[in-house]
Every structure is written in structure tokens, then in C-alpha cells.
Amino acid sequence: MKASRDVPNALLESLKSLGLTKYEALVYIGLLRTAGATATEVHEISGVPRASVYPVLDRLVQKELVSVSHTTPKRFDAVPPDQGVENLMRRIESDAQSARTALDALYREKGPGGRGDQELIWTIYGEENIRTRLAGMFRSAERSVEVLATWDLLRESMLKLLDPVPDSVPVDLVTERWEGEQPSRFRLHVLPLAVLQEIRFPADKLLPYERSGVFLVDDARALLWMEGIDGQPSALYSESAGLVLFVRRHITTVTEWARATVQ
Amino acid sequence: MKASRDVPNALLESLKSLGLTKYEALVYIGLLRTAGATATEVHEISGVPRASVYPVLDRLVQKELVSVSHTTPKRFDAVPPDQGVENLMRRIESDAQSARTALDALYREKGPGGRGDQELIWTIYGEENIRTRLAGMFRSAERSVEVLATWDLLRESMLKLLDPVPDSVPVDLVTERWEGEQPSRFRLHVLPLAVLQEIRFPADKLLPYERSGVFLVDDARALLWMEGIDGQPSALYSESAGLVLFVRRHITTVTEWARATVQ
DNA sequence: ACCTTGTTGTTATTGTAGCAACAACATTTA
DNA sequence: TAAATGTTGTTGCTACAATAACAACAAGGT
């Protein structure tokens, strides 16, 4: 009676990242389909060696995922899945909380400046991280904000990020199309640029150029939003004169060239 | 220059349960206090062997906890703690979600009854698990609900748990005192029982008997809420005739005896 | 030019800890 | 006795931890 051969591997991985070992996951899954099983039954159902079942069950009880009967032999039962996962998450959430505060304390120790940024080009991975960086750039804008990005990217949440830009700072948006009403807050330039829609790479391989953008603040800080074919967004950020100048030229060039072509 | 000897061990454990290894945690912590460090500097600050720093940094970049510069030598920077933890939690949360649904599917496969409960005495660990069990008991009540518990326990959230009891079912509450207005929904018996307040164990060692209670539903299902000295709540649940009878007697005995004594 | 010095990035090797797997044994129950 | 339960100890395995060694490259001095 080994009915547990069909345990999806993805499920095991998920449970592992919640702090369970392979055996713990297998035993818990096994117990979910068999109420009140003895240790030997657990062994049969889960495929875990009988001798290993005892320490594993101990750990699961400790983690509040199974309950034990007071009979001999002992019988075991699993708590319902949603609640079991909840119990695991509670621990992790608590760890996350204490880690957050402890790390924050360390983080604030160091002065914010730390010459770290100047003259360096940083790659940032993960959409969240990029957004955070952009929010910081916009918030600290003092003289100018220029954005050259595909509508796909703008629409999603870029516009919300632009809210904290001080009122005194002019904002230039360049994109290839615009849906919805035109915002009065920004200087909007809608240019149906082919460059922004698709590009052909090596020869005839059509490369979708979906979400990408270039952001320049105060002519001093630049961010390039890229997106690989895998869809994983990454970005370059820099305050170096070189990259800033490049971006400066890129934006003006595209704008000029597109204006000439279109009209 | 080894300024990292004072890394709290608890913090390392917390980060480990968020999916980081010891080295990953040390490197991330080190980077939090030093913006734009080279691999060698990371090695010096974190105490991690220089050769091990490279694979560790790779993993941290993959996990969206650090960003890389494009200079030579490469320079590394940590994302702010709250956001970093957020990035880690996002993965875990997603795993938890998929695990929940996958497990739920398995769980519903088996018929609910499965003779598992009868004649067995279960120990349940963890306050959440006990509450859930109680909620299930109350929801399925058909003839009677009897509760004998300290006010401390009742007040906290027991009253909310009693909401789903069908209106046709009488509910008896016995406790040692009552604060706030008396509920009309229940038959309330306030008995200033010394038993419920403190008991003396072996000889003169005063044992605080803070939160404990006995719950009986339909004269068929009983739960004993216990709480060790460590404050970790646990409970016994059973549908066995033996334990149910014991609880039945306990409640009536205490009630009778207290009534006789008090008046 | 040459050689030295130091740093960066990479690879290989060894050690270690926690989990996985099995064998063997003591204990209970029928 | 036989069968099943619960426990113990040993061994193997895998991921991580730790050290050593190496090639590539850039100063800097002679």
C-alpha cells in the first residue's frame, strides 16, 4: 500500500521553503489523507522509513502541524492545511519582523551618503527594487524630470511614482501613444516611435521591445529600465557623468529625430 | 578591520528561516553598513572567506537583496532592509499560497469522517489549533454547550468563538467572575471558585492557574484547555465515553460544590 | 623593458552539519 | 511464540562552510 508516489515535486519545494524537511513534508501530506494513523501506517503511506517516522513526527508536533492521541499505539492526525500553513507562516512572519527591526537599526547606523553612488553604474534586479529606486529619484528631483518609456511601462504604475515630484519641477514624458485623458501636470510628447515598439535584431529576428524606459532627473541621475526576453526586469542606475551624458543625448536625439520623421 | 564580530545570533537564525544561509546573512548584514563595497571589502567586513564571497554574492543578487555595479572591480550594495525582507517574504508567501491550494486539494479528497476521532484522546498544541477545534465543536453543537473556564480565558476570545452556536442550543457558562454586562444569550453562573484562581502544589509552592477551561458539547465531545508553566497552551480533545464522562462529572461536581460552599 | 607587489576573480579540495536510510535491539500486545 | 511498536546507533549523502592555490591584470620601482 504505497499510494504516495504521486507527490508533486513543486509542493515539496514549497513546503521546504516554509521550513519543513523532505520527510516532514511527506509525512504531513500523508497524514492529510489518513486521519488517525499509527506510526507504521504513516510509514506506509508516506514512504518514509519507519524508524525515521518517529523523530519526524516529533518535529511536526512541535511545529503544531499534527496532533497526537494518548492511546497505545499512538495515533497521529494532521491539522487542516490552511491552518497548518498559517501556523508555519506565523513563525516566519515573526522572524521577518524581528529581522526587519534589527537590520533597520544596523542600517541607520551608517550615514546615508557614503560616496557610494557617484561614478558607479549599478544594476538593480527585481521590479520592486527598481520601483523603489525610481521613487527615490523622483522624490529628490529639484530641477527636471525626463522620462522616455513605452506606454506599457508608463501605464502600469509609473504615473503613481511620479506623484511625489515637487510641483516646481517640470516633468517631460515621451512615449509612443497615450490612452485616457491627457494629464495637465506633465509636458506630454506622444511620438509614434517605431523604436519604442519593436526592433529587429540580428537580421530578421523580431524582438518584442515591450517594456523599457529611460529616466533622467536633474541631469544628474539616470536609470535605464531593461527587460530581458525572460521577462525579468532589471535596470541600470548611475550618477556618473558618462552615463548621464549618454542618456541626455539619447533622449534628445530620439525626440528630435522622431519629430523630424513624423511631421 | 573586523567590525562584524557583534552580529546577534538571533538575527542570523531569523534570516535563516527566511531562506538565507549563514554566509548570505553575514554578507547582507555587512553590506548594509557599507555602501558600494568591493568583494574584498565585503570579505573584510563580513568575516566570510574571500573565495566564498563570490558565490554568496551571486545568490544574494539572484534573491534581489543586493545590486551590482558595472565597474572593475565590481562593487556591491544592499537594498534597504525593509524592502529586502519584503522581497524574501514575497517568495515565501507565494510558496505558502501554492502549498495551501495543493494541500487543500489533497485534503478534500478524503471523506471527512473516517472513524478517526472516536474513542481516541488527542493532544493539540498551539493556541490557534485549539481555537480552531473549539470553533468546530461549537459550530456543530446540537443539544448542549457547557463551558467551565477562568475569566481570563473566557474574556480573551472565547466569547467570539461561541457566536456560531445555533440559537436553539442552550449554552452554560461557569466562571469565577464577570466584568462588563451580562450576556442574555447564555446561562451564566458566576461562582467565585478558589479552584479556578489558584492551587497549591506540592506543599506551599503557589501555582498560578491562570488560563484553563473545560468544554463539553452535546455530552459527546470534550476539550480540556491546559496551560503549562511555560505559557504554551495545549489541550486534550476526545469523543471517548471515558473522558466525556469524566468531564461531565467534573463540571457538575465543581458547580454543585461551589454552590454549596458559597451560599 | 623587467621584476615585484598587490588585487581580482576563479577553481579545486577538504571539513562539517543536518538530514536520509538502514540495521539491530528492547518492549509490548496478541 | 509471533507480530507490531518504539528506540538506538551507524552509515551515507548533500549542501554549505572553510582553506588553499592559481591565472589575469594593474600599478610602481629599478
Side-chain angles (χ1 to χ4, degrees):
Chain A
M1 186 198 290
K2 39 182 65 182
S4 73
R5 204 43 48 85
D6 54 344
V7 174
N9 207 303
L11 179 53
L12 287 184
E13 288 306 313
S14 296
L15 288 176
K16 271 201 230 175
S17 92
L18 294 182
L20 297 190
T21 71
K22 187 181 170 188
Y23 277 6
E24 289 167 352
L26 285 175
V27 166
Y28 180 62
I29 293 174
L31 270 179
L32 276 180
R33 2 194 194 198
T34 312
T38 69
T40 315
E41 286 172 323
V42 169
H43 147 65
E44 290 167 344
I45 296 166
S46 64
V48 171
R50 197 178 62 85
S52 304
V53 143
Y54 295 94
V56 168
L57 281 172
D58 286 346
R59 281 178 264 161
L60 285 177
V61 169
Q62 193 63 26
K63 290 175 182 170
E64 303 181 4
L65 283 179
V66 312
S67 41
V68 203
S69 85
H70 273 184
T71 57
T72 54
K74 290 181 187 172
R75 289 185 172 270
F76 302 88
D77 200 359
V79 309
D82 49 354
Q83 169 146 8
V85 174
E86 191 59 31
N87 289 340
L88 292 176
M89 283 302 290
R90 201 172 24 250
R91 286 178 178 234
I92 295 179
E93 195 74 58
S94 134
D95 276 330
Q97 188 51 42
S98 53
R100 232 185 305 250
T101 58
L103 291 176
D104 242 18
L106 295 183
Y107 186 56
R108 297 197 198 291
E109 270 185 16
K110 87 169 168 112
R115 111 292 187 195
D117 285 348
Q118 306 163 4
E119 290 305 318
L120 294 180
I121 302 180
W122 296 94
T123 60
I124 306 174
Y125 293 95
E127 188 159 342
E128 272 308 309
N129 295 328
I130 303 176
R131 281 194 209 286
T132 304
R133 172 66 75 167
L134 274 175
M137 289 171 65
F138 292 151
R139 203 179 312 116
S140 67
E142 292 181 350
R143 296 192 309 276
S144 69
V145 169
E146 287 157 283
V147 174
L148 167 59
T150 59
W151 168 243
D152 275 341
L153 188 55
L154 273 182
R155 175 185 46 190
E156 274 187 24
S157 69
M158 209 52 62
L159 296 176
K160 284 179 212 135
L161 285 181
L162 281 167
D163 279 345
V165 175
D167 284 339
S168 58
V169 177
V171 176
D172 286 277
L173 294 183
V174 184
T175 183
E176 90 280 14
R177 71 178 194 276
W178 190 275
E179 298 166 3
E181 64 175 331
Q182 303 217 349
S184 60
R185 165 72 182 86
F186 313 124
R187 293 206 295 246
L188 180 60
H189 314 271
V190 177
L191 303 177
L193 307 171
V195 225
L196 283 178
Q197 288 160 358
E198 55 183 41
I199 58 176
R200 293 178 180 277
F201 192 55
D204 57 345
K205 198 163 156 44
L206 190 60
L207 187 60
Y209 195 54
E210 296 215 347
R211 308 190 328 174
S212 82
V214 176
F215 308 81
L216 183 59
V217 169
D218 291 349
D219 268 325
R221 278 156 283 151
L223 188 145
L224 277 68
W225 182 305
M226 313 175 286
E227 192 148 313
I229 314 150
D230 52 356
Q232 298 304 324
S234 63
L236 293 186
Y237 170 81
S238 182
E239 303 178 4
S240 79
L243 191 68
V244 164
L245 190 55
F246 169 82
V247 168
R248 164 82 276 140
R249 285 209 179 105
H250 181 62
I251 292 183
T252 43
T253 302
V254 169
T255 310
E256 294 288 326
W257 173 74
R259 255 202 201 100
T261 313
V262 170
Q263 62 179 206
Chain B
M1 186 195 290
K2 38 183 63 179
S4 74
R5 202 44 47 85
D6 53 344
V7 175
N9 206 304
L11 179 54
L12 287 184
E13 287 308 312
S14 295
L15 288 176
K16 270 201 231 177
S17 92
L18 294 183
L20 297 191
T21 71
K22 186 182 171 188
Y23 277 5
E24 289 168 351
L26 286 175
V27 166
Y28 180 63
I29 293 174
L31 270 178
L32 275 181
R33 2 193 194 197
T34 312
T38 68
T40 313
E41 287 172 323
V42 169
H43 148 64
E44 290 167 343
I45 296 165
S46 65
V48 172
R50 198 178 64 87
S52 304
V53 145
Y54 294 93
V56 168
L57 281 171
D58 286 346
R59 281 178 262 160
L60 285 177
V61 169
Q62 195 61 29
K63 289 175 181 170
E64 303 183 4
L65 285 179
V66 310
S67 43
V68 205
S69 84
H70 272 184
T71 57
T72 53
K74 289 182 187 171
R75 289 185 172 270
F76 301 88
D77 201 358
V79 309
D82 49 354
Q83 169 146 7
V85 174
E86 191 58 31
N87 288 341
L88 292 175
M89 284 302 289
R90 199 169 28 248
R91 287 179 178 233
I92 295 178
E93 195 75 56
S94 135
D95 276 328
Q97 188 50 44
S98 54
R100 233 185 305 251
T101 58
L103 290 176
D104 241 18
L106 295 182
Y107 185 58
R108 296 197 198 292
E109 269 184 16
K110 87 168 166 107
R115 109 302 189 183
D117 285 347
Q118 305 162 5
E119 289 306 317
L120 294 182
I121 302 180
W122 297 94
T123 60
I124 306 175
Y125 292 96
E127 187 159 342
E128 271 309 309
N129 294 330
I130 303 175
R131 281 195 208 287
T132 304
R133 172 67 73 168
L134 275 174
M137 289 170 65
F138 292 151
R139 201 179 312 116
S140 66
E142 292 181 350
R143 296 191 309 277
S144 68
V145 170
E146 287 158 284
V147 174
L148 166 59
T150 59
W151 169 243
D152 274 342
L153 188 56
L154 274 182
R155 175 186 46 190
E156 275 185 25
S157 69
M158 208 54 60
L159 296 176
K160 283 179 212 133
L161 286 181
L162 281 167
D163 278 345
V165 176
D167 284 338
S168 58
V169 177
V171 176
D172 286 276
L173 294 185
V174 184
T175 183
E176 89 280 13
R177 73 177 193 276
W178 189 274
E179 298 166 2
E181 64 175 331
Q182 304 219 348
S184 60
R185 165 70 183 87
F186 312 124
R187 292 205 296 245
L188 180 60
H189 313 272
V190 177
L191 302 178
L193 307 170
V195 224
L196 283 179
Q197 288 160 355
E198 54 184 40
I199 58 176
R200 293 180 180 278
F201 193 53
D204 57 346
K205 199 163 158 35
L206 191 60
L207 186 60
Y209 196 53
E210 298 215 345
R211 307 189 330 174
S212 82
V214 176
F215 308 81
L216 182 59
V217 169
D218 290 349
D219 269 326
R221 279 156 282 150
L223 187 144
L224 276 67
W225 182 305
M226 312 175 288
E227 191 148 316
I229 313 149
D230 53 354
Q232 297 303 325
S234 64
L236 292 185
Y237 170 81
S238 183
E239 303 178 4
S240 80
L243 191 68
V244 164
L245 191 54
F246 169 83
V247 168
R248 164 80 277 142
R249 284 209 179 106
H250 181 62
I251 292 182
T252 42
T253 302
V254 169
T255 310
E256 296 287 326
W257 173 73
R259 256 204 200 98
T261 311
V262 169
Q263 65 181 200

